[in-house]
Amino acid sequence: MTHSHTLVIEKEFPFPPEKIWRALTEGALIKEWLMENDFRADLGHKFAFRATPQPHWNGIIDGEVLVVEPNKKLSYSWCSMGLESVVAWTLIAKSGGTLVRMEQSGFKPDQEAAYKGANYGWQKFIVSLEQVVAELP
């Protein structure tokens, strides 16, 4: 039996789900808080996130859109350098805001460095995401 690790980050944003959804699904906004991309929230769409290459990473994340439930759920595969994972976003409307849940699953036991790197990266990305959403009209 193979075990895998799942990274979960939850944060309540003082914005409605519709504004957060825009930042999660519009390519120009994704570029502001995450990376260059050719993302579209169309089921089955294959895309790439692109960042500046690093010493042990080519800067490319390939993905495919797996779930699209506007203003509620978005999921896509997240594959890079041997890591084959799935990122799932869940937006839950609350009084005065939205609970944002990001879950990245599929880290194998020998991918501890990737898990730690993802944890570090997503903490930064979530802060940037909130800043981008705050600037939306």
Side-chain angles (χ1 to χ4, degrees):
M1 183 172 166
T2 302
H3 295 282
S4 64
H5 297 289
T6 298
L7 174 64
V8 176
I9 298 175
E10 290 185 343
K11 184 169 184 1
E12 194 159 332
F13 285 23
F15 310 107
E18 294 78 10
K19 285 180 82 170
I20 299 164
W21 183 258
R22 285 186 57 204
L24 292 176
T25 59
E26 294 181 19
L29 297 175
I30 294 169
K31 178 183 173 185
E32 289 184 41
W33 67 270
L34 187 61
M35 293 177 224
E36 292 272 355
N37 66 89
D38 58 351
F39 184 88
R40 290 192 326 261
D42 295 331
L43 200 60
H45 174 65
K46 294 183 179 175
F47 61 94
F49 291 127
R50 296 182 185 279
T52 302
Q54 306 291 319
H56 298 288
W57 181 50
N58 65 3
I60 299 171
I61 297 164
D62 293 308
E64 180 176 350
V65 178
L66 303 173
V67 175
V68 178
E69 293 180 33
N71 305 315
K72 293 182 179 171
K73 291 186 178 185
L74 175 67
S75 179
Y76 42 78
S77 60
W78 179 282
C79 304
S80 182
M81 306 288 289
L83 172 65
E84 294 184 15
S85 64
V86 172
V87 171
W89 294 93
T90 304
L91 305 179
I92 301 170
K94 299 275 189 179
S95 62
T98 302
L99 177 64
V100 177
R101 177 185 171 96
M102 190 293 304
E103 180 177 318
Q104 184 172 10
S105 59
F107 295 95
K108 295 176 185 161
D110 64 347
Q111 295 176 318
E112 191 65 26
Y115 177 83
K116 288 180 179 174
N119 189 22
Y120 173 79
W122 282 116
Q123 299 290 346
K124 286 179 39 182
F125 293 144
I126 297 285
V127 170
S128 297
L129 170 65
E130 186 170 14
Q131 291 169 344
V132 168
V133 174
E135 294 174 5
L136 293 176

